[in-house]
């Protein structure tokens, strides 16, 4: 049976595998390793009914990126206690790079 920590790591791995998305960890925690959960895993909340994943998008259009992430995460839940949970992806931030101009503020 998969444990919460292992599931968090796998979900963060799926976020990083989608070109144009990254985990939206709270400011300053994205690369922290000394916390009980790695910093990036704070972008994911695991509940019985909903798995919420907060991301930063650096590419457009958003819909294909979010669909790709949802499609990658859903199989991870199969056969676990979270198999019935809905996957909700929240774009917490839109990076200026999404507009093709890093000077946008």
């Amino acid at each position: 049976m998969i444990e919460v920590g292992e599931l968090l790591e796998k979900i963060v791995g799926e976020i990083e595998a989608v070109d144009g998305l990254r985990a939206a960890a709270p400011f300053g925690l994205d690369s922290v390793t000394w916390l009980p959960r790695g910093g990036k895993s704070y972008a994911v909340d695991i509940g019985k009914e909903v798995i919420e994943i907060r991301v930063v998008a650096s590419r457009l259009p958003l819909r294909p990126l979010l669909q790709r992430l949802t499609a990658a995460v859903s199989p991870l839940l199969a056969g676990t206690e979270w198999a019935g949970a809905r996957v909700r992806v929240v774009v917490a931030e839109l990076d200026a790079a999404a507009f093709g101009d890093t000077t946008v503020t």
Side-chain angles (χ1 to χ4, degrees):
M1 178 156 229
I2 192 169
E3 300 208 9
V4 175
E6 184 181 352
L7 180 60
L8 283 169
E9 286 178 32
K10 288 182 176 190
I11 292 173
V12 169
E14 293 300 338
I15 296 168
E16 293 174 347
V18 177
D19 187 32
L21 296 180
R22 68 177 186 272
F27 183 71
L29 292 184
D30 56 345
S31 61
V32 172
T33 57
W34 53 267
L35 291 170
R37 293 169 31 185
K40 291 180 182 179
S41 66
Y42 282 91
V44 180
D45 288 328
I46 296 179
K48 291 286 186 189
E49 296 179 15
V50 177
I51 307 292
E52 184 172 289
I53 306 167
R54 291 171 297 283
V55 297
V56 176
S58 60
R59 288 184 46 206
L60 294 173
L62 292 174
R63 186 175 306 248
L65 298 174
L66 305 181
Q67 289 173 336
R68 195 172 311 135
L69 179 58
T70 301
V73 170
S74 294
L76 297 176
L77 306 177
T80 71
E81 61 185 283
W82 305 282
R86 196 167 35 96
V87 176
R88 179 187 315 153
V89 182
V90 177
V91 179
E93 186 179 332
L94 188 56
D95 194 296
F99 299 103
D101 184 358
T102 57
T103 62
V104 175
T105 58

